[in-house]
Amino acid sequence: MADGQDDWERRNEAAYGVVAWRRAVLNCGALVVWHTGFDNRTPPGPRGPRPGRPDAPGAAEFTSRWMPVVALLALAACRAAREADVLVDDVELLALFGWVDGPRTGSLYRGPLETGEPRGRTEAGWRALVGGGERGRRAREVLGAHVTAHLPEEHDEHDEHDEHARQDGHDERTPEGAEPFPLLLGDRARAVRAAGVADLAPQWAGEVAGARARIERLEEALRTGLWTPTPEHRAYALILHRTLVAPPDYPGLPDGNAGPAWVQRVLRMPHVHATVVTLTDLPAFARFGPAGPAEDPLAEAVGAVAHDAVHSLVGTADDLERLWAARPPDLPVALWERAHLPAPVRAQVVAVERVTHELAMVLFDIAHPDTDR
């Protein structure tokens, strides 16, 4: 950490592994990409990344017109978070309106802010980043679109959680007259990353589809006899099967809450990924890791599930583990999950769980060739 870094900067860097400014740029970039419909995941071609929708800006327009908006929103997020003494993910989205295009805009450029760059920015540099009124109006447009989209989503998620709670015998509905959860920058960024650009499948969906294709290839090779597992394959499959079918049990839930909870289901994913990495680091199973021979259908299927589909949730799990550790002990689990696991994240969890379960069933067949399931 840089010398002279204050406590707020240190807490952000400890939480995210990067300075607050860089974390804010990543989150605000997700918000702007979603709002404009620009698909920034596609590998650049002769003309740069393709737009995600017909009405989305091209690469040059996105860079010139919308990247300055990302920077303005990120600066506003850092200033608002510092003033509220919270991490940048935990700043309220509504609080940013007054900073990007309102009474606080004139103070955006004041005060120190670590950027992670070799040379710190001057006050003149921050003034130039703030720009004029048009940039502020675009930033307000982005914020307004997210708030508008969140309101019906929040209502639908509330109803869904209430129904699940009643079915499970845990009535954790919001008390009459209670304040709704504020919309936080980190929660909204997590939602749009999981949802993807409108009219396009999210990135994780392609990773899940790729993993499923590898599993089907493994099943076909096993069923037709084109591939015969060795004893090492069977031992590897046995260990992994046990990991994949183990019920999620971390973190522990308060008394009276039946698991598995959504947070446990998400935090299980880093464990699955870490188990695969650890196993393939062992000499006995090194052949199933990146250093092993190509064209092994079992290694390819496990790698696609663990390193692509499952790994797509590792960053989300890291965020949620930190948030869970800070959860007020008297806050009902279902209400906490409604605030921090929006519907797109839960859809991603279900899809990754399904492909993981499909792999577990094939692993069982490999590990127990004489058993009917």
Side-chain angles (χ1 to χ4, degrees):
M1 296 183 187
D3 292 340
Q5 200 174 34
D6 64 21
D7 179 64
W8 179 82
E9 291 277 10
R10 289 178 183 276
R11 283 187 284 123
N12 275 275
E13 189 162 352
Y16 308 124
V18 293
V19 296
W21 164 253
R22 290 192 174 180
R23 177 72 174 193
V25 168
L26 289 173
N27 281 343
C28 294
L31 267 57
V32 174
V33 163
W34 176 89
H35 174 67
T36 61
F38 183 72
D39 183 9
N40 64 344
R41 305 164 309 167
T42 307
R47 299 182 180 177
R50 67 181 176 85
R53 296 192 313 245
D55 63 335
E61 182 186 356
F62 186 85
T63 299
S64 63
R65 182 182 179 92
W66 291 103
M67 282 304 297
V69 176
V70 173
L72 174 57
L73 286 167
L75 180 59
C78 289
R79 297 305 190 201
R82 182 191 286 274
E83 182 174 274
D85 197 29
V86 298
L87 301 178
V88 287
D89 277 26
D90 301 335
V91 70
E92 295 186 24
L93 219 61
L94 288 175
L96 300 185
F97 281 92
W99 287 92
V100 300
D101 185 31
R104 309 303 302 277
T105 306
S107 58
L108 273 173
Y109 56 85
R110 299 191 185 119
L113 182 63
E114 293 283 344
T115 62
E117 301 164 353
R119 295 179 60 184
R121 299 200 186 195
T122 63
E123 182 175 304
W126 290 121
R127 279 180 180 269
L129 185 151
V130 173
E134 184 179 357
R135 188 175 302 173
R137 287 189 291 274
R138 287 184 191 142
R140 176 179 281 272
E141 174 188 321
V142 172
L143 295 173
H146 283 280
V147 171
T148 300
H150 172 74
L151 290 175
E153 291 173 5
E154 201 274 345
H155 182 268
D156 293 344
E157 290 168 23
H158 189 177
D159 292 345
E160 178 186 336
H161 273 283
D162 288 348
E163 181 59 29
H164 288 171
R166 287 192 293 273
Q167 291 174 358
D168 293 340
H170 303 286
D171 193 350
E172 295 183 330
R173 286 171 289 178
T174 305
E176 195 69 31
E179 290 293 323
F181 279 97
L183 176 57
L184 305 183
L185 172 61
D187 290 337
R188 187 60 191 167
R190 191 159 42 251
V192 298
R193 287 193 187 101
V197 175
D199 302 328
L200 290 177
Q203 183 169 348
W204 62 260
E207 293 164 345
V208 168
R212 180 165 286 116
R214 292 292 187 179
I215 294 171
E216 291 171 353
R217 177 182 173 185
L218 173 61
E219 284 184 302
E220 178 70 13
L222 187 64
R223 183 174 62 252
T224 60
L226 294 175
W227 173 76
T228 302
T230 65
E232 290 80 10
H233 283 108
R234 299 194 191 282
Y236 181 63
L238 178 63
I239 295 172
L240 275 185
H241 176 263
R242 290 171 178 168
T243 296
L244 298 187
V245 299
D249 59 2
Y250 174 81
L253 301 178
D255 291 343
N257 287 268
W262 282 104
V263 65
Q264 293 176 315
R265 293 162 68 176
V266 176
L267 265 58
R268 170 176 173 251
M269 296 305 169
H271 173 69
V272 171
H273 178 259
T275 297
V276 172
V277 171
T278 300
L279 277 177
T280 54
D281 281 343
L282 298 176
F285 301 126
R287 62 177 297 180
F288 305 120
E295 299 300 320
D296 185 303
L298 176 60
E300 290 178 346
V302 171
V305 171
H307 302 311
D308 297 329
V310 167
H311 193 263
S312 72
L313 280 167
V314 168
T316 298
D318 289 343
D319 288 346
L320 292 173
E321 187 170 23
R322 175 186 59 80
L323 287 165
W324 178 265
R327 181 184 67 89
D330 59 343
L331 179 64
V333 173
L335 299 186
W336 181 90
E337 291 185 325
R338 177 165 61 84
H340 299 301
L341 281 100
V345 174
R346 296 199 300 272
Q348 180 181 359
V349 173
V350 170
V352 173
E353 285 180 333
R354 285 175 178 165
V355 78
T356 304
H357 176 74
E358 291 166 17
L359 175 62
M361 296 303 96
V362 183
L363 294 177
F364 180 89
D365 292 340
I366 294 172
H368 305 89
D370 299 324
T371 303
D372 293 329
R373 57 176 171 92

